[in-house]
Amino acid sequence: MEGFFNSKFMITLQKFGQALGRNKYLSALQATMQTLMAIIMVGAISQILCSVGCNIFGWFSADSEIYQVLYMPYNFTMNMLSLWVVLFLGYNYARNIDIKTPVITASECLFCYLLIAGALSTNEAGTVVMDTTYFSASGMFMGFLTCFIVAQIDKMCVDRKIYIRMPDIVPQFLQDGFAGIVPLLFNVIIFQVLNTTVTTLTGGAFTLISGFIALLAAPLAGLTSAPGIVVICTFAGVLWCFGIHGALIAMTTLMPIGIQTTAQNYAAFQSGGTAALVFYPVALAAGLSYCGGSGNTFPAAIYAAFFAKSEQVKAVGKASIVPGWFNINEPMTFGLPIMYNPILCIPYILCIPLNCLFYWIGYATGLLIPGYIMISALLPMGFAGYLSTLNIWNFLWDYFSVIPMGLIWLPFIRAYDKQLYDKEQAELAAEASAEA
């Protein structure tokens, strides 16, 4: 194993990761994801409390007042994650490229993102409402692009002195406010033109964001065979590594099929019991996320929490264990982070087809049976599999999957842990030397 860590492949991979880390935009993105840990964790805790109280113990229903109260933090954290990302990324990236007023740039990024993501409409009661569909992680990649474009426009205006200048006697905050008018106007024109063009060309069917997601999802619609399902799920993992909500795109294609096949199997069960159940390839989609969320990160969370040497990796692991058990992997995805991290993207992607194969073996041997009860609630590992089939093997299989997933994750999470540990030790040594 030590030879693998020191192999030419892993050394090259680490150097590539370090080069990415020096990129001003990607370093701002990583800093943003790590800064958002508090928001992500509060959202995960809210989601877990609702799932435990409603779906497991039945203390309250999903339409009860207590559920709405407990779910509110999730609505303002994970369901608005893209807004938080845009705000912090705009600030961090502006600071990295030496814009003196990063707060102004961050506010411009948020303004432009709301312009393309928060469509306004008037309901029957005459109340103006905002569409928040793409405030969650689903719009995050477009948020990345928004921040990059806005900050570059701001930088261009600063470098070429294309802004309103006020006399030095004017307070600095007022000078900054006036200086932001022209760059913001340029950005608004760009994003408004792009969004309006897409909406006009599609007859109002799509906006800039929804059109982008539909463009990615369209080629996947015809892949409904077993190999096709594996391709869709693996592609979802690849997208996640670039900050695109791959699971959302995959589920856009797979969810209607899953609902239809579950209904068909329920009708078959009513007439012939479990012997009449039919295996449909869409069941293999479990391989995308049933071992700790997208990328099957639960084994990595276990290692990070209990065996890591790096303080950063250990802290993320401890914060990720319980959410990971509920198949919520945002603390791992954003905390390490996995996105734009070449060392961790490899197991993140590889685990998906491997886990699809693992579930196919379960169905092929007859240990697993196809689901015939529709379960759409967020539940801990194994619970959804059991409640949808009432078969104990469907419960245990999620936990058995930790073994092959762990074998994939172990060398990579260890290598990344070592890289961060060495970096932390070097920083401590430099601090000690400076103090001496």
Side-chain angles (χ1 to χ4, degrees):
M1 190 69 73
E2 191 66 31
F4 176 77
F5 294 153
N6 297 320
S7 66
K8 185 177 180 180
F9 170 73
M10 289 303 295
I11 292 173
T12 302
L13 206 59
Q14 290 178 31
K15 289 181 178 179
F16 180 57
Q18 291 167 357
L20 288 180
R22 290 191 293 270
N23 179 276
K24 292 182 178 181
Y25 179 76
L26 294 181
S27 64
L29 181 58
Q30 289 197 347
T32 297
M33 294 309 174
Q34 292 167 355
T35 304
L36 289 171
M37 275 299 293
I39 290 173
I40 292 168
M41 282 305 303
V42 169
I45 291 169
S46 170
Q47 197 173 17
I48 290 171
L49 289 175
C50 289
S51 179
V52 169
C54 177
N55 302 317
I56 297 179
F57 294 111
W59 291 334
F60 45 81
S61 63
D63 57 357
S64 65
E65 185 175 348
I66 187 171
Y67 184 96
Q68 300 305 319
V69 170
L70 291 175
Y71 200 70
M72 189 66 71
Y74 182 83
N75 278 327
F76 286 101
T77 52
M78 294 306 300
N79 269 351
M80 293 194 175
L81 184 61
S82 288
L83 300 186
W84 296 109
V85 167
V86 166
L87 189 63
F88 283 96
L89 178 57
Y91 177 84
N92 287 323
Y93 184 45
R95 191 172 59 175
N96 281 1
I97 59 177
D98 300 321
I99 294 177
K100 294 182 180 180
T101 55
V103 172
I104 300 293
T105 301
S107 65
E108 291 178 19
C109 291
L110 184 59
F111 182 99
C112 291
Y113 186 74
L114 288 171
L115 195 67
I116 62 173
L120 297 175
S121 60
T122 305
N123 61 21
E124 295 180 357
T127 304
V128 177
V129 295
M130 178 178 287
D131 182 5
T132 62
T133 302
Y134 299 105
F135 288 2
S136 64
S138 60
M140 193 163 54
F141 185 76
M142 194 57 70
F144 294 166
L145 294 178
T146 301
C147 290
F148 180 80
I149 293 171
V150 169
Q152 287 297 324
I153 294 295
D154 277 18
K155 179 67 172 174
M156 179 196 72
C157 290
V158 170
D159 291 345
R160 299 186 180 185
K161 301 187 184 304
I162 308 173
Y163 58 87
I164 298 174
R165 278 165 284 186
M166 304 291 289
D168 292 339
I169 195 172
V170 175
Q172 186 63 47
F173 65 86
L174 191 56
Q175 291 187 43
D176 296 340
F178 271 92
I181 293 175
V182 174
L184 177 58
L185 184 60
F186 286 161
N187 282 308
V188 167
I189 292 172
I190 291 171
F191 285 98
Q192 189 74 328
V193 167
L194 287 173
N195 200 43
T196 303
T197 300
V198 172
T199 302
T200 302
L201 292 178
T202 61
F206 296 105
T207 63
L208 186 61
I209 293 181
S210 63
F212 175 76
I213 293 175
L215 194 63
L216 289 175
L220 305 180
L223 300 175
T224 56
S225 63
I229 297 298
V230 175
V231 168
I232 290 175
C233 293
T234 305
F235 184 58
V238 173
L239 292 179
W240 255 125
C241 288
F242 291 94
I244 303 172
H245 200 312
L248 174 74
I249 293 169
M251 287 305 111
T252 300
T253 301
L254 299 179
M255 186 175 291
I257 304 172
I259 294 172
Q260 180 183 355
T261 57
T262 301
Q264 291 171 348
N265 269 328
Y266 181 74
F269 177 80
Q270 292 289 82
S271 60
T274 57
L277 298 177
V278 178
F279 168 75
Y280 295 98
V282 72
L284 299 181
L288 172 63
S289 60
Y290 268 25
C291 187
S294 296
N296 301 289
T297 56
F298 192 60
I302 294 174
Y303 175 86
F306 300 109
F307 304 103
K309 294 181 179 180
S310 162
E311 292 301 321
Q312 175 184 325
V313 175
K314 188 182 299 183
V316 172
K318 289 180 178 179
S320 302
I321 285 289
V322 174
W325 184 50
F326 278 79
N327 292 317
I328 302 169
N329 74 339
E330 279 82 0
M332 285 291 288
T333 303
F334 299 142
L336 287 175
I338 293 173
M339 289 186 300
Y340 295 96
N341 187 328
I343 295 178
L344 299 184
C345 279
I346 291 176
Y348 189 89
I349 295 170
L350 285 180
C351 277
I352 295 173
L354 177 63
N355 209 23
C356 288
L357 175 62
F358 185 72
Y359 275 87
W360 178 83
I361 292 172
Y363 286 110
T365 57
L367 292 174
L368 301 182
I369 65 173
Y372 60 92
I373 302 171
M374 189 63 204
I375 302 294
S376 59
L378 177 71
L379 296 169
M381 289 173 57
F383 282 75
Y386 177 74
L387 293 176
S388 64
T389 60
L390 303 181
N391 176 37
I392 189 61
W393 283 103
N394 286 69
F395 174 85
L396 296 174
W397 211 253
D398 287 6
Y399 294 94
F400 290 155
S401 71
V402 173
I403 298 172
M405 299 302 99
L407 292 175
I408 296 293
W409 269 107
L410 182 60
F412 293 94
I413 189 67
R414 283 187 64 182
Y416 185 63
D417 176 48
K418 183 178 184 300
Q419 177 180 311
L420 290 191
Y421 176 74
D422 291 344
K423 181 180 178 181
E424 290 170 359
Q425 294 304 304
E427 290 174 351
L428 289 174
E431 289 178 5
S433 176
E435 291 175 358

